[in-house]
Amino acid sequence: MIRTILFDLDNTLLDFTWAEKIALTKTLQKFGIKPTEEVVGRYQVLNRQQWELLEEGKLTREQVKVRRYRLLFEEIGTDTSPEEATAVYEKLLGIGHRFIDGARELLEELYKKYDLYLVTNGTASVQKGRLDSADMWKYFKGIFISEEIGYDKPGKEYFDRCFAQMPDFHVEEALLVGDSLTADIRGGENTGIRTVWFNPGRLENHTKIVPDYEIAHLNRLTEILSEMK
């Protein structure tokens, strides 16, 4: 029986891709850089690569935040400061929100029946700003942001520190829901938690990471929970 559900935040409950594009566009414009589809797309590729390096323990969070801009600016040939761009971007990213389809309704239903926790690799100031905007704090018994925890997903150390702050927590009674195979589902594998891969784009899994369940819409989660009783 499931008593505890751990949710990822970005692109699981809140639409990070939408927020990222708005914040990035405004950041580039502030520094006189035209936010073409090519430039925005290239940033997204570089950004994803840097976060994957963080998950592998090869970069720190501070290195990720600046390095993605440094690499982009080197490619497009601008002397804009990556540190200044990072500061502007993070401030903008923490403003506003948009829920993934069905996320608000799901949280409203589940928080009355289960112990919900949030597990995210994001920057504390950014994530807290978005949680405030979306009025999401009330749904969770605890919110664990990697910058504050001191470790990142998918590391076992991150999850161990989270578990230690969850009263009467038992791995066999928990479920982890997230969109990232490398951060969320691998994190579940590292700690023995059953996992649900949220895959709305129905992407092919080319890794050796195997989720226990896969869903394309969040409303499917309630069906899985019913089946697990």
Side-chain angles (χ1 to χ4, degrees), residues 37-72:
E37 287 188 15
E38 181 180 2
V39 171
V40 170
R42 186 58 184 151
Y43 168 87
Q44 291 172 334
V45 170
L46 291 170
N47 181 51
R48 184 166 57 253
Q49 290 173 346
Q50 308 320 301
W51 280 104
E52 288 173 356
L53 289 172
L54 178 137
E55 291 166 7
E56 295 169 9
K58 296 178 180 179
L59 291 178
T60 66
R61 183 178 295 98
E62 291 305 312
Q63 289 173 326
V64 167
K65 292 192 294 186
V66 176
R67 192 168 186 262
R68 57 192 175 183
Y69 278 105
R70 178 172 290 114
L71 293 173
L72 177 68

Side-chain angles (χ1 to χ4, degrees), residues 175 196 213-215 220-228:
L175 193 67
V196 178
Y213 302 91
E214 179 179 338
I215 60 176
R220 171 76 175 111
L221 184 61
T222 55
E223 298 174 21
I224 289 174
L225 289 167
S226 296
E227 295 167 3
M228 296 177 73

Side-chain angles (χ1 to χ4, degrees), residues 8 41 59 100 105 112 131 153 167-168 187 204 210 212 222:
D8 172 51
L59 291 178
I100 294 292
E105 295 79 4
K112 301 169 186 175
L131 290 168
K153 295 184 295 182
D168 196 29
E204 287 191 40
V210 182
D212 293 286
T222 55

Side-chain angles (χ1 to χ4, degrees), residues 30-192:
K30 178 176 176 60
F31 292 100
I33 301 169
K34 191 173 181 180
T36 63
E37 287 188 15
E38 181 180 2
V39 171
V40 170
R42 186 58 184 151
Y43 168 87
Q44 291 172 334
V45 170
L46 291 170
N47 181 51
R48 184 166 57 253
Q49 290 173 346
Q50 308 320 301
W51 280 104
E52 288 173 356
L53 289 172
L54 178 137
E55 291 166 7
E56 295 169 9
K58 296 178 180 179
L59 291 178
T60 66
R61 183 178 295 98
E62 291 305 312
Q63 289 173 326
V64 167
K65 292 192 294 186
V66 176
R67 192 168 186 262
R68 57 192 175 183
Y69 278 105
R70 178 172 290 114
L71 293 173
L72 177 68
F73 293 163
E74 287 175 354
E75 287 190 14
I76 65 178
T78 175
D79 59 1
T80 300
S81 165
E83 290 81 7
E84 290 181 14
T86 296
V88 171
Y89 172 76
E90 287 202 346
K91 184 175 181 180
L92 291 169
L93 191 59
I95 300 172
H97 70 278
R98 184 166 77 179
F99 277 98
I100 294 292
D101 186 34
R104 171 75 86 179
E105 295 79 4
L106 180 68
L107 291 174
E108 284 286 349
E109 178 182 355
L110 295 184
Y111 91 106
K112 301 169 186 175
K113 305 175 183 177
Y114 300 90
D115 292 335
L116 305 186
Y117 292 91
L118 195 67
V119 289
T120 173
N121 266 355
T123 301
S125 61
V126 171
Q127 301 301 60
K128 288 180 178 179
R130 297 169 69 224
L131 290 168
D132 285 340
S133 174
D135 190 26
M136 292 177 68
W137 295 87
K138 61 186 179 185
Y139 298 120
F140 301 101
K141 300 283 187 179
I143 291 174
F144 303 112
I145 304 172
S146 58
E147 185 176 43
E148 296 180 330
I149 293 295
Y151 293 96
D152 301 290
K153 295 184 295 182
K156 188 175 183 299
E157 299 90 346
Y158 169 85
F159 286 100
D160 285 344
R161 290 205 173 187
C162 294
F163 299 161
Q165 299 179 57
M166 300 178 186
D168 196 29
F169 175 80
H170 301 282
V171 168
E172 65 274 12
E173 298 176 344
L175 193 67
L176 173 59
V177 184
D179 71 298
S180 172
L181 286 169
T182 55
D184 302 310
I185 310 308
R186 180 179 286 160
E189 289 185 348
N190 289 342
T191 52

